[in-house]
Amino acid sequence: MNCGMKFVKYSLFAFNLVFFVFAMALIGVGAAVEIKYRSLVTVTGSAISAAPILLICIGVFIFFVSFFGCCGAYKENYCMVSTFAILMALIFILEVGATISAYVLRGKIKMYLEKSFTKSIEEYKTSTKGAFNFVQKTFHCCGSTNESDWSRSLVFQQEANQTRVKHNIPLNESASYFVPDSCCKQMIPQCGIKSTRVLNNKGCVATIEASFKKNIVTVGGIGLAVIFIQIIGFIFSCMLMRTIKSQYDVV
């Protein structure tokens, strides 16, 4: 093996070490997002949890792919290097497909969130109280579109009125409905049913959408960097396969 191919061999080995780090990062990011937005999943339904779970799955898959690449390059094993090249091509195809799907469905995310939030508020359950409080407190928002969405939740309104009577809180004449305490700018007990309440007037759907858009450029940039590295790795693996086959006469 000449010096040029030795460079390719060790470059491919180094590439897979970097790829291994990317895999661990994807698993970590996916797990962190799943934990952070777990309450959001409770409110909107399980479909929105697909993204972090997909990241974790991709990370695990890339971990095994990088293993084949590292071992194949180090041992100059034709079978392992060819397996690595095939899996790299498969990952690239899946990434292109996922990108196209995300672009086509991008406009439906807001619609899905609005529908899920509105339905969850109208069908308010005590079991989702903690999830609503977490989402509204974390994103400094109230309701789906605005705080008036809570006026359509009969169950919550009855529950809040019972709390008001229990604590002898005067009826808020300036507002015809109650809101959860997490809607308040300063979340304190019973602030959502008091006349002195100061609320976050932005809806959660618009706030969450803005949060996603804020990070999309960073995520897209990282994605492009990963794809570029993948292409380089695929080219190097093909070159190494060709050299191994010619040198060791592997068929």
Side-chain angles (χ1 to χ4, degrees):
M1 184 178 288
N2 57 39
C3 293
M5 291 316 301
K6 283 185 178 180
F7 171 78
V8 171
K9 170 185 173 179
Y10 291 112
S11 294
L12 183 61
F13 182 82
F15 157 81
N16 279 283
L17 290 179
V18 174
F19 213 44
F20 173 81
V21 174
F22 268 117
M24 299 305 294
L26 282 176
I27 295 172
V29 170
V33 171
E34 173 68 17
I35 293 171
K36 181 176 180 180
Y37 293 102
R38 186 171 294 166
S39 294
L40 180 60
V41 172
T42 304
V43 175
T44 61
S46 59
I48 200 169
S49 66
I53 292 175
L54 181 61
L55 280 178
I56 295 172
C57 292
I58 291 175
V60 172
F61 185 59
I62 290 176
F63 174 84
F64 286 107
V65 172
S66 62
F67 170 78
F68 276 103
C70 279
C71 293
Y74 181 76
K75 295 184 177 181
E76 299 179 17
N77 186 293
Y78 179 84
C79 183
M80 297 188 77
V81 174
S82 59
T83 300
F84 167 77
I86 293 171
L87 292 176
M88 284 295 294
L90 179 60
I91 291 175
F92 179 76
I93 294 171
L94 291 174
E95 285 174 340
V96 172
T99 302
I100 294 173
S101 298
Y103 180 79
V104 172
L105 298 174
R106 71 191 187 284
K108 296 184 179 181
I109 296 176
K110 184 178 180 180
M111 182 179 67
Y112 172 78
L113 286 174
E114 286 178 346
K115 183 178 179 181
S116 300
F117 259 95
T118 301
K119 182 179 180 181
S120 296
I121 289 174
E122 292 177 351
E123 300 176 358
Y124 179 80
K125 299 177 182 178
T126 305
S127 58
T128 61
K129 181 178 180 180
F132 271 115
N133 286 336
F134 176 84
V135 172
Q136 294 186 146
K137 182 180 178 181
T138 301
F139 292 96
H140 306 289
C141 58
C142 186
S144 175
T145 306
N146 52 53
E147 68 273 9
S148 65
D149 293 326
W150 284 103
S151 65
R152 296 192 290 274
S153 177
L154 299 179
V155 175
F156 172 76
Q157 294 302 314
Q158 292 173 357
E159 182 182 289
N161 190 53
Q162 292 173 357
T163 302
R164 181 190 68 81
V165 173
K166 180 180 179 181
H167 291 85
N168 296 318
I169 299 174
L171 189 65
N172 186 356
E173 297 181 355
S174 62
S176 58
Y177 53 87
F178 307 109
V179 297
D181 295 341
S182 54
C183 281
C184 301
K185 288 185 179 293
Q186 290 186 336
M187 185 177 171
I188 55 177
Q190 290 86 50
C191 67
I193 58 180
K194 293 180 179 178
S195 58
T196 56
R197 68 189 188 187
V198 180
L199 306 178
N200 293 308
N201 52 17
K202 291 183 179 180
C204 290
V205 172
T207 306
I208 292 170
E209 183 185 25
S211 177
F212 286 161
K213 287 182 177 179
K214 182 179 179 181
N215 297 306
I216 196 67
V217 175
T218 302
V219 174
I222 294 174
L224 289 174
V226 171
I227 290 175
F228 176 76
I229 294 174
Q230 285 176 305
I231 293 173
I232 299 298
F234 179 76
I235 293 173
F236 279 2
S237 63
C238 290
M239 293 172 64
L240 187 59
M241 282 167 54
R242 187 175 180 180
T243 302
I244 294 173
K245 187 175 182 179
S246 62
Q247 184 171 346
Y248 296 99
D249 194 27
V250 178
V251 179

